[in-house]
Structures are given as structure tokens and as C-alpha cells.
């Protein structure tokens, strides 16, 4: 019974991922940009050390849910047919994105910890890095969405419109509109989590958590 319940609710880890990471970004608030002076960056993070530390840990906590969502998605894509290569690519994208979020959290924590304890130039260097460490995170989400979109469109594991949306957003992540696409990827994960959860709930008795092809 416990195993069946876990399988059914596992897709909702995508919701947990998006909500918790969003809270982390909100807690972090507006931070100094990449071109902020050493004095400004050092002063800001020294003054807001506790809040920025909490923000880093909250984002890391949220990121821990992403592999579980990617695993649930991979299962649905696997069961829909094909060789499984697209499902594997989608899962790999989830792992890359998770690593990206954890790297982001680590650098942000180091930045908050360094302020007021080292030279302002060290804080400034970490601040520049903190503002430009998004590539693994964004690229991972792009791979996750593109691979998922191709699998959905080709094998109909999920509604077709989810597949096309994933393809469009995934491609946009690698363009100058990447920030907007990053926000849209969160919405896609939320919606997909709910769709997977509802399908798991609709599975025949004794087969909870399964997703009919």
C-alpha cells in the first residue's frame, strides 16, 4: 500500500520543486547585479547574510525534488513506446538541471558567507559568478523539455499540447528569450506534474501509479 501511494504521489514532486525554488528566489529578492562595485556587493551581502543564506538552502532543498519528478516523467515516456532514448535524455536533462540549481545554491552560500569576512574584491568576484552561473541549470531544463516534447509528440505519452509546449519552451531557453522560457519551464513542470498525478490516480485498482500508454 505504501509503495502504491508513493508511486501515485511521486509526480507531485514537480510541484514541490517549482514551489520551493520559487520561495527561495523570492526570499533572496533583488540582489546586486554582475557589474555592482565591490563595496556595494560586500555591503549588501554582509547586511543580508542570514536572509541570503536561507535563500541558498531553500533553493537547494527545492532542487532535491527535481530528480524524482524527472524519474516519474521518464517512466511515463518509457511506457509510451519507442527505444527509450528520448526518455533517457529527458531524465539526463533533469539531472543536469538539478546539478545547476545546486551549484547556484553553493555559489550563493559562499557569497553570503564571504561578505564582511574577506576583501570586498573576493565578494565582488563571487557576485559576478553568482550572476552568471545559470547555464547548467537552464541548459538542463532545455534538454529536459526538448526531449520530453519530442517523446510526447511522437509517442503520445501525454497530451499533445504539452509536447508542443515543451518543444517551444525548450528551444527558447537557448535563445535571448531564455529568462522568459525559464519561467515558462516552471509552469510546464507544474502542469505536467498534475497531469501525471491525475493519470496515476485514474489507473486501474491494484495498479496504482501506472500510466496507461
Amino acid at each position: 500500500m505504501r509503495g502504491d501511494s508513493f508511486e501515485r504521489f511521486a509526480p507531485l514532486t514537480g510541484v514541490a520543486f517549482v514551489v520551493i525554488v520559487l520561495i527561495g528566489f523570492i526570499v533572496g529578492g533583488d540582489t546586486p547585479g554582475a557589474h555592482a562595485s565591490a563595496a556595494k556587493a560586500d555591503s549588501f551581502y554582509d547586511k543580508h547574510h542570514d536572509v541570503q543564506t536561507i535563500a541558498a538552502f531553500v533553493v537547494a532543498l527545492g532542487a532535491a525534488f527535481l530528480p524524482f519528478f524527472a524519474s516519474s516523467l521518464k517512466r511515463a515516456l518509457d511506457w509510451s513506446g519507442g527505444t527509450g532514448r528520448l526518455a533517457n535524455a529527458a531524465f539526463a536533462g533533469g539531472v543536469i538541471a538539478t546539478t545547476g540549481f545546486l551549484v547556484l545554491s553553493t555559489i550563493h552560500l559562499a557569497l553570503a558567507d564571504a561578505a564582511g569576512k574577506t576583501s570586498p574584491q573576493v565578494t565582488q568576484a563571487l557576485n559576478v559568478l553568482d550572476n552568471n552561473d545559470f547555464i547548467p541549470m537552464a541548459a538542463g531544463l532545455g534538454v529536459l523539455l526538448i526531449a520530453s516534447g519530442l517523446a510526447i509528440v511522437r509517442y503520445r505519452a501525454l497530451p499533445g499540447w504539452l509536447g508542443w509546449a515543451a518543444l517551444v519552451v525548450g528551444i527558447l531557453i537557448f535563445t535571448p528569450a531564455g529568462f522568459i522560457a525559464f519561467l515558462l519551464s516552471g509552469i510546464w513542470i507544474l502542469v505536467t506534474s498534475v497531469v501525471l498525478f491525475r493519470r496515476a490516480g485514474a489507473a486501474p485498482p491494484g495498479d496504482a501509479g501506472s500510466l496507461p500508454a
Side-chain angles (χ1 to χ4, degrees):
M1 180 64 70
R2 290 182 179 178
D4 290 345
S5 297
F6 175 78
E7 291 295 340
R8 180 182 177 185
F9 288 98
L12 293 181
T13 51
V15 175
F17 158 69
V18 173
V19 171
I20 296 175
V21 168
L22 179 61
I23 291 174
F25 284 147
I26 292 174
V27 170
D30 188 20
T31 57
H35 302 293
S37 67
K40 180 179 180 180
D42 193 67
S43 174
F44 176 88
Y45 283 101
D46 186 29
K47 181 179 180 180
H48 300 93
H49 170 271
D50 292 343
V51 171
Q52 297 305 320
T53 298
I54 292 172
F57 279 112
V58 171
V59 171
L61 174 62
F65 287 92
L66 182 55
F68 293 96
F69 166 75
S71 179
S72 296
L73 179 60
K74 178 181 182 300
R75 187 181 190 189
L77 299 179
D78 273 333
W79 287 8
S80 65
T83 62
R85 291 175 182 172
L86 291 173
N88 290 337
F91 181 75
V95 172
I96 294 171
T98 300
T99 303
F101 277 103
L102 295 177
V103 169
L104 179 149
S105 299
T106 301
I107 293 174
H108 199 75
L109 178 63
L111 173 55
D113 192 49
K117 301 175 184 176
T118 61
S119 69
Q121 285 71 30
V122 171
T123 305
Q124 184 183 35
L126 287 171
N127 184 57
V128 172
L129 184 59
D130 187 62
N131 278 274
N132 293 279
D133 57 2
F134 57 87
I135 292 179
M137 174 184 64
L141 289 175
V143 171
L144 169 65
L145 266 65
I146 291 173
S148 297
L150 289 172
I152 293 170
V153 169
R154 185 171 182 181
Y155 302 115
R156 297 296 177 179
L158 295 170
W161 57 270
L162 265 182
W164 289 111
L167 281 173
V168 172
V169 175
I171 293 172
L172 285 177
I173 284 180
F174 296 97
T175 72
F179 178 72
I180 296 176
F182 172 74
L183 299 178
L184 292 176
S185 69
I187 296 175
W188 187 88
I189 290 175
L190 280 173
V191 174
T192 303
S193 294
V194 174
V195 171
L196 288 170
F197 171 70
R198 293 185 64 181
R199 287 201 171 191
D207 192 26
S210 64
L211 297 170

